[in-house]
Amino acid sequence: MEAFSLNLHRIDKDVARCDRGLDYFMDQSNLDTLRNIVTTYVWEHLDVGYMQGMCDIVAPLLVVIDDEVTVYSCFTNLMERMIK
């Protein structure tokens, strides 16, 4: 749990800074969705953990697709390809 808590701290810092100039991310619910996607990924992939910039990968997917479940799936598949 300690490793997950450390990851949450990093996630919260990055989400708060993510693309704040875009109207899409001025809506708190969209920031919450971004946080949910990254947090869920980290929880399911504790061996990978959070890496700075993950929010920057998720953000454009979320703006274009605008569906939490689909974006999570896309991000997970993208990370699998990047980590291999």
Side-chain angles (χ1 to χ4, degrees):
M1 282 310 280
E2 185 176 329
F4 184 67
S5 295
L6 180 60
N7 282 294
L8 282 180
H9 177 71
R10 292 177 183 153
I11 291 167
D12 287 339
K13 285 174 52 176
D14 275 1
V15 167
R17 295 185 289 227
C18 185
D19 294 325
R20 297 302 293 199
L22 293 177
D23 289 341
Y24 187 86
F25 290 111
M26 290 183 185
D27 181 342
Q28 184 61 45
S29 67
N30 292 330
L31 286 173
D32 293 343
T33 301
L34 175 63
R35 183 183 187 280
N36 290 346
I37 292 166
V38 178
T39 302
T40 301
Y41 177 83
V42 169
W43 178 255
E44 292 184 355
H45 300 89
L46 285 173
D47 57 319
V48 175
Y50 181 75
M51 293 177 255
Q52 187 174 9
M54 284 182 168
C55 285
D56 296 325
I57 296 170
V58 174
L61 293 172
L62 192 55
V63 170
V64 172
I65 299 170
D66 197 32
D67 178 74
E68 186 171 349
V69 173
T70 304
V71 171
Y72 175 77
S73 178
C74 290
F75 178 65
T76 299
N77 286 309
L78 179 61
M79 289 303 296
E80 283 179 21
R81 294 180 65 122
M82 291 175 67
I83 292 174
K84 286 184 180 181

